[in-house]
Amino acid sequence: MKQLDRLGTGIGWRPEIAAAVERLPGLDWVEVVAENVCPGHLPDSIGRLRERGVTVVPHGVSLGLGGAERPDARRLADLAGRVEALGAPLVSEHIAFVRAGGALTASPGLEAGHLLPVPRTRDALDVLCENVRIAQDSLPVPLALENIAALISWPGEEMTEGRFLAELVERTGVRLLIDVANLHTNHVNRGEDPVKALDELPVEAIAYVHVAGGLERDGVWHDTHAHPVPRAVLDILAELRSRTDPPGVLLERDDDFPPEEELAAELETIRATVAAPVRRTPAAQARGPRGTGTDVAREADEAPGNGTVSEAVTVPEAATVSAPAPAPATAHESARPAVPPPAVPSPAVPSAPGQGPELPARQRLGLAQAALLSALVAGTPAPEGFDARRLRVQIRALAAKRADVVAKVAPELPEILGAGYRPAYLDYAKSRPMRDGYRRDALDFAEHLLVAGRPEDPVTRRRLTHWWQDRAAPRRPRRATRFVRAARAALVRG
């Protein structure tokens, strides 16, 4: 496998900290959320960083390469355009599914608005490998894929995460983006040993590493990207460094941004962790020299270790909980009839792995993913074999994230509805799946309230009606009409 150029130490670029990022000392590169930049209108801050020689890598969140459908050609073309506009040496995405249903399963299409885990089965691996090869053929630079954090585990999984990733690399030649914070998350939430996962990985395939913070609540680790990096995550980074010198390491911070000095200090801690003399942990020494790929997986199965990182995991103290950073989405704003959407049926799925062998792998995977996503976002019964408590946690997390993102893409809604916005939205989200991105979701939510005769206050209901009409109509009202409405609303509030 051809060695990639070194990236060095970087940080996730976000508009809220753009100025601070430009001033960070010794910054080698930044990562941008691909869907948040437009090739013809790059942020001025990104332009200045590029002029200084800072590498910019786009990080996609919407391809859904772990889904049952083949990758969308338009999304691939958009991602390729961003790669070329940024002059990026590589591009990254996730091993996850973000949508399900549709023609493949003869059920309504559903959007998660979040990265959901792929079952580690032969079916899922076969589909993922084909999807990755399609993406590789469409992108002008090497592709790296990230391991994700998960609250839930699929029943009947056939491989560990390390073996799943090793076989993916062996079959496609794809690079890996290893998120050590996600390894920690999966240790707390799913009982998976991060040391064993690292032992099974083909470390020569690592393109770069993510480092991020989070916190524990009620026995569940939330990968918030809004808290300082805990010691346990740095310990896993050190474990990884004992096996290889990664080409790049990046700090992710997506919300509740700290002062510039704290960001600089966290980057310096990451640099020191990677630059520290390599220490072989007891677990590493017990295994001796490492191979790669499926050989490593086989050795790990034959001689499992007692990884010290997993035994030494600690949880940082924190008083508050921040929601996970939103994954961006786009949507059209065309109007539709003011009628409640139909109930979403739960797709039929095989009751056990291997049942229904006459179905192609894509359809079997599609049915399973649609059943899970329908339970998470549409209120249908949970598929057999899942942990009911963890599913409830995931349902609440998805609904809370939707509420937060809708409030950002449509800030007028919390302003119009006041304290009633969040409880009304969470009630709506219990059985109303997102159908076409967050902007469409904001319109659907407003329409749902209006059809039900809410809000009860006539002035608030009138304001919400005007807001919905301005955005849902085929043609927006003229400026004079909007001005008169705004003036009337101001007079009423006064």
Side-chain angles (χ1 to χ4, degrees):
M1 182 173 283
K2 181 181 177 183
Q3 181 139 7
L4 294 174
D5 293 338
R6 289 201 66 79
L7 292 169
T9 305
I11 192 170
W13 184 92
R14 302 293 181 266
E16 298 89 339
I17 54 171
V21 167
E22 291 186 55
R23 292 189 294 265
L24 287 172
L27 185 69
D28 299 310
W29 67 294
V30 297
E31 181 189 76
V32 298
V33 177
E35 290 80 357
N36 282 358
V37 295
C38 178
H41 304 279
L42 295 178
D44 292 341
S45 173
I46 293 295
R48 288 190 292 269
L49 288 169
R50 291 187 65 207
E51 289 171 1
R52 285 168 36 191
V54 175
T55 300
V56 182
V57 173
H59 184 54
V61 297
S62 64
L63 280 185
L65 293 175
E69 296 281 357
R70 289 176 175 83
D72 180 75
R74 179 185 57 81
R75 287 191 174 92
L76 284 171
D78 288 346
L79 185 56
R82 286 161 172 81
V83 168
E84 292 171 346
L86 294 168
L90 75 159
V91 60
S92 59
E93 247 286 355
H94 299 82
I95 301 170
F97 78 100
V98 297
R99 60 189 65 87
L104 184 67
T105 59
S107 61
L110 300 172
E111 292 278 342
H114 189 69
L115 302 166
L116 293 175
V118 174
R120 297 174 198 152
T121 61
R122 290 290 166 191
D123 275 356
L125 182 60
D126 289 344
V127 171
L128 175 62
C129 287
E130 184 180 352
N131 288 349
V132 167
R133 286 190 287 267
I134 292 170
Q136 289 170 319
D137 289 343
S138 303
L139 296 170
V141 294
L143 172 65
L145 294 181
E146 178 181 353
N147 59 302
I148 72 164
L151 285 171
I152 55 178
S153 299
W154 283 85
E157 292 194 317
E158 300 164 356
M159 285 172 274
T160 62
E161 180 166 45
R163 174 167 284 184
F164 190 85
L165 295 177
E167 291 205 23
L168 173 65
V169 170
E170 184 177 6
R171 291 170 60 175
T172 66
V174 75
R175 307 286 178 157
L176 295 177
L177 160 51
I178 296 301
D179 190 316
V180 292
N182 290 348
L183 291 178
H184 172 64
T185 301
N186 293 343
H187 166 71
V188 176
N189 293 348
R190 311 208 296 187
E192 297 176 357
D193 184 355
V195 173
K196 181 177 181 181
L198 292 174
D199 279 342
E200 294 177 338
L201 288 178
V203 294
E204 78 283 358
I206 295 177
Y208 62 98
V209 176
H210 272 175
V211 182
L215 84 168
E216 186 183 39
R217 182 178 59 187
D218 299 330
V220 175
W221 186 266
H222 296 268
D223 182 44
T224 64
H225 294 191
H227 294 81
V229 178
R231 182 73 253 170
V233 170
L234 293 172
D235 286 346
I236 299 175
L237 176 62
E239 273 284 345
L240 185 149
R241 178 64 183 91
S242 75
R243 292 152 170 77
T244 188
D245 184 9
V249 183
L250 182 124
L251 171 65
E252 286 190 294
R253 189 72 181 237
D254 294 328
D255 206 352
D256 196 16
F257 299 101
E260 183 177 331
E261 296 74 18
E262 291 185 26
L263 289 176
E266 283 209 291
L267 282 174
E268 189 54 42
T269 299
I270 291 169
R271 285 192 191 95
T273 302
V274 174
V278 175
R279 290 185 301 104
R280 301 297 295 278
T281 66
Q285 292 170 356
R287 289 178 178 86
R290 287 171 174 77
T292 57
T294 52
D295 289 339
V296 171
R298 195 174 300 112
E299 292 167 9
D301 282 346
E302 293 169 357
N306 52 358
T308 56
V309 170
S310 60
E311 295 169 358
V313 166
T314 58
V315 176
E317 295 182 0
T320 61
V321 177
S322 297
T330 59
H332 60 81
E333 294 191 350
S334 58
R336 65 181 181 85
V339 294
V344 178
S346 178
V349 295
S351 60
Q355 183 175 342
E358 70 282 356
L359 295 179
R362 280 190 183 277
Q363 194 170 3
R364 290 195 296 271
L365 179 64
L367 288 168
Q369 290 180 340
L372 173 60
L373 187 51
S374 181
L376 292 175
V377 303
T380 58
E384 185 178 352
F386 283 92
D387 184 306
R389 174 178 172 270
R390 288 298 172 90
L391 281 181
R392 289 193 295 271
V393 173
Q394 183 72 81
I395 289 168
R396 290 195 298 270
L398 289 175
K401 178 178 179 179
R402 280 176 66 187
D404 291 340
V405 180
V406 166
K408 288 184 178 181
V409 302
E412 302 87 355
L413 289 177
E415 192 271 327
I416 292 170
L417 298 173
Y421 164 74
R422 193 169 186 86
Y425 186 89
L426 294 177
D427 181 66
Y428 154 84
K430 288 178 182 177
S431 59
R432 306 282 174 142
M434 183 167 61
R435 64 188 181 98
D436 196 10
Y438 286 109
R439 288 182 176 85
R440 179 75 255 177
D441 198 35
L443 289 170
D444 288 348
F445 167 59
E447 182 181 345
H448 167 74
L449 292 181
L450 294 171
V451 168
R454 299 163 57 198
E456 294 181 2
D457 176 62
V459 174
T460 303
R461 188 163 62 251
R462 188 181 309 117
R463 292 181 63 200
L464 184 63
T465 299
H466 289 162
W467 180 89
W468 182 86
Q469 290 174 337
D470 287 352
R471 290 154 181 81
R475 180 179 299 175
R476 292 197 69 185
R478 294 181 178 180
R479 183 178 298 180
T481 303
R482 297 199 304 271
F483 176 78
V484 169
R485 288 177 179 173
R488 287 175 177 168
L491 287 173
V492 171
R493 288 196 300 272

